[in-house]
Amino acid sequence: MTRTIQQLRTDARLIFDAGIASVDPVAAVQKTVTRQGDFLSVAGEVYDLRQYAHVYVIGAGKAGATMAQGLENVLQDRLTAGAVTVKYDHVAPVTTVTLHEAGHPIPDAAGVRGAEAMMHFAQQAGENDLVFCLLSGGGSALSPAPSAGITLEEKQQFTSLLLACGASIDEINTLRKHLSRLKGGQLARLVAPARLITLVLSDVVGDRLDVIASGPTVPDASTFTDCREIVARYRLMDQLPPSIRSHLQRGCAGQLPETPKAGEPMFDRCQTVLIGSNRIALQAAAQQARDLGYPPLVLSSSIQGEAREIARVHAAMAHEIRQSGLPMSPPVCVLAGGETTVTLLGQGKGGRNQEFALAAAMDIDGLEGVVILSGGTDGTDGPTDAAGAVADGATARRAQALGLNPEEVIQRSDSYSFFNALDDLLFTGPTGTNVMDIYILLVG
Ligand SMILES: Nc1ncnc2c1ncn2[C@@H]1O[C@H](COP(=O)(O)OP(=O)(O)O)[C@@H](O)[C@H]1O
Ligand SMILES: O=C(O)[C@@H](CO)OP(=O)(O)O
Ligand SMILES: [Mg+2]
């Protein structure tokens, strides 16, 4: 059965939506944390709620509100109180937990207040209390708690410097952990001796728990020496605020305590569970593809690299499948996920997924029965209201007919305008989740 291009486009969107739905934070929390009367089961660990006088919820991240909503649905009257910081306008209906809205990716004073509220509950919790910590992407910037002697303004300046220098999120968070009072396992130290359960929604390639939101409740393998190497690698030393330079130098000289490491006692009463990731989303998308009659081929949930280049690999696969039926004959759905990067060439408007679709459109020009969709699972791709875009074998030609030259658009980094003119932007609205990006290649 040969599917029309419109059918392929509809199916690609259904597959994308199925991926996002599988990592809906409310459902993911309620699937991970279940309750039978006084007994909680968390990923197989059983907790008798009668042993705990209070149950607190703390956390930070773009999905914090929906995760808190899920936990309130489970804990109901057993939840004592809580404080969770979310990005502005990323709220959800909660009754007991206090939501703090704050700035991301640059931390702000509201974030400081949210972090202080979190640390208040962490320190208030005692031996006979239970604390849930809800973490998701954006948690680092949303929980600023600068080390002594470092001001918020200096932390803001430092964050802008880090975001612009090309450092990876692992390198950025190594530095952030060593300039904070709660990142890098230090929040676990504040929560001890209370029992701690951390639920994590991963927006990081490789799902490393010590990188996501700077791992405030897990051991930190990184050190001040690593910080010194990163500062040197990106030639940051001369641009560091004096207080930060001095802090890192004192840390390297052994004059400051290192972040908590594996095996230290504050982690004895901790459980950490990954409740959503790009891999989980891809598996759900693959199932939807199968249900729609496209045998799926999942490449990886750890895609990194320049968006334009990764797109070209997907376009090359489209040609191969169409011309030789390799690695699979049509109909087929090739799925991948991760977080690409974009070297900006111009001052235009766009995002890494829109750029991906634009680069793909150029290489699949003229191919029949091929659709490529690239979308951000958080619903916002770059500084735009689009989640991504959709391209097919006619996209380039339709654009030319409108006087749009794809190569020139790439040079302007103006993918949003390009797909807006073609009415091929992907809109989901803020999804409340955040497990990086999903790339879908459908060959009918
Ligand atoms: N005009 C543009 N074209 C392509 N990519 C862009 C453009 N402007 C910003 N970006 C990319 O968008 C990225 C931020 O996207 P965003 O969706 O906000 O990230 P995240 O969802 O990971 O927090 C930046 O890293 C930047 O590379
Ligand atoms: O908060 C963080 O540390 C990172 C990774 O989780 O998220 P984002 O890149 O969205 O700021
Ligand atoms: Mg995004």
Side-chain angles (χ1 to χ4, degrees):
M1 181 239 315
T2 306
R3 293 169 173 85
T4 65
I5 201 70
Q6 194 44 52
Q7 185 61 55
L8 288 170
R9 284 169 164 267
T10 302
D11 290 347
R13 176 61 192 265
L14 289 172
I15 292 165
F16 182 67
D17 288 349
I20 290 183
S22 74
V23 284
D24 164 62
V26 177
V29 168
Q30 291 178 198
K31 183 178 169 191
T32 307
V33 184
T34 55
R35 181 176 174 189
Q36 295 286 340
D38 287 325
F39 294 91
L40 272 188
S41 171
V42 180
E45 291 279 330
V46 177
Y47 297 81
D48 180 349
L49 288 172
R50 293 170 298 184
Q51 290 179 7
Y52 303 103
H54 305 97
V55 181
Y56 298 111
V57 179
I58 58 180
K62 293 178 195 168
T66 41
M67 292 173 79
Q69 187 184 354
L71 201 60
E72 283 194 349
N73 292 345
V74 177
L75 291 172
Q76 296 181 347
D77 58 320
R78 277 311 321 266
L79 178 56
T80 308
V84 173
T85 305
V86 298
K87 187 171 181 175
Y88 291 115
D89 304 327
H90 281 58
V91 295
V94 290
T95 52
T96 311
V97 173
T98 301
L99 293 182
H100 293 259
E101 292 182 67
H104 173 278
I106 305 300
D108 65 5
V112 172
R113 287 192 293 277
E116 281 160 1
M118 242 200 289
M119 292 189 283
H120 163 73
F121 284 116
Q123 289 162 310
Q124 185 174 319
E127 177 85 26
N128 300 318
D129 293 329
L130 176 60
V131 177
F132 279 89
C133 183
L134 309 177
L135 299 176
S136 53
S140 292
L142 292 167
S143 56
S147 303
I150 298 173
T151 66
L152 172 63
E153 291 67 28
E154 288 165 330
K155 200 73 179 287
Q156 289 170 328
Q157 182 191 344
F158 182 64
T159 303
S160 301
L161 185 61
L162 284 179
L163 292 175
C165 76
S168 68
I169 192 64
D170 181 8
E171 293 167 323
I172 290 173
N173 286 356
T174 292
L175 289 165
R176 291 201 275 204
K177 292 183 211 177
H178 287 84
L179 296 165
S180 168
R181 286 177 284 128
L182 61 79
K183 292 179 172 70
Q186 299 173 88
L187 184 58
R189 179 188 285 145
L190 296 176
V191 170
R195 169 78 60 179
L196 174 60
I197 300 172
T198 300
L199 305 179
V200 183
L201 195 67
S202 171
D203 72 322
V204 168
V205 168
D207 300 337
R208 281 189 44 193
L209 297 175
D210 63 328
V211 178
I212 301 162
S214 293
T217 60
V218 294
D220 176 28
S222 71
T223 63
F224 277 107
T225 305
D226 295 327
C227 293
R228 179 170 54 201
E229 289 166 5
I230 295 165
V231 166
R233 190 174 304 144
Y234 295 96
R235 298 183 178 80
L236 301 174
M237 189 56 87
D238 298 342
Q239 305 166 75
L240 295 181
S243 66
I244 289 179
R245 184 185 307 121
S246 155
H247 183 89
L248 292 176
Q249 287 167 338
R250 283 186 289 127
C252 287
Q255 295 164 9
L256 295 173
E258 253 300 349
T259 47
K261 304 300 175 215
E264 292 190 34
M266 78 279 290
F267 300 113
D268 291 348
R269 305 184 77 221
C270 293
Q271 178 189 10
T272 302
V273 185
L274 188 67
I275 67 163
S277 66
N278 189 269
R279 178 175 300 119
I280 291 170
L282 290 181
Q283 285 161 343
Q287 185 52 51
Q288 178 66 53
R290 214 175 273 116
D291 295 347
L292 290 168
Y294 304 87
L297 175 64
V298 177
L299 300 181
S300 171
S301 61
S302 305
I303 298 285
Q304 299 181 88
E306 185 73 38
R308 296 187 283 273
E309 296 310 316
I310 305 298
R312 302 203 68 182
V313 171
H314 282 72
M317 287 192 74
H319 280 277
E320 199 60 46
I321 291 167
R322 174 55 70 220
Q323 283 150 16
S324 68
L326 293 177
M328 289 168 69
S329 58
V332 60
C333 173
V334 178
L335 287 163
E339 186 156 293
T340 60
T341 48
V342 172
T343 305
L344 295 179
L345 303 175
Q347 303 300 313
K349 185 176 172 184
R352 51 182 189 250
N353 290 285
Q354 295 160 70
E355 179 114 342
F356 183 109
L358 175 53
M362 293 164 71
D363 278 6
I364 61 173
D365 184 25
L367 265 187
E368 298 290 320
V370 169
V371 164
I372 288 183
L373 178 152
S374 181
T377 57
D378 64 358
T380 56
D381 184 37
T384 80
D385 60 351
V390 184
D392 63 30
T395 296
R397 239 167 311 127
R398 286 172 52 218
Q400 301 281 10
L402 294 175
L404 286 168
N405 175 318
E407 183 51 49
E408 287 171 7
V409 174
I410 284 246
Q411 293 305 320
R412 294 201 306 271
S413 300
D414 207 18
S415 50
Y416 183 92
S417 312
F418 180 87
F419 285 106
N420 194 34
L422 294 170
D423 197 23
D424 277 337
L425 287 169
L426 178 68
F427 289 110
T428 60
T431 63
T433 192
N434 179 22
V435 291
M436 302 187 288
D437 304 333
I438 292 177
Y439 319 110
I440 299 169
L441 162 60
L442 277 188
V443 184

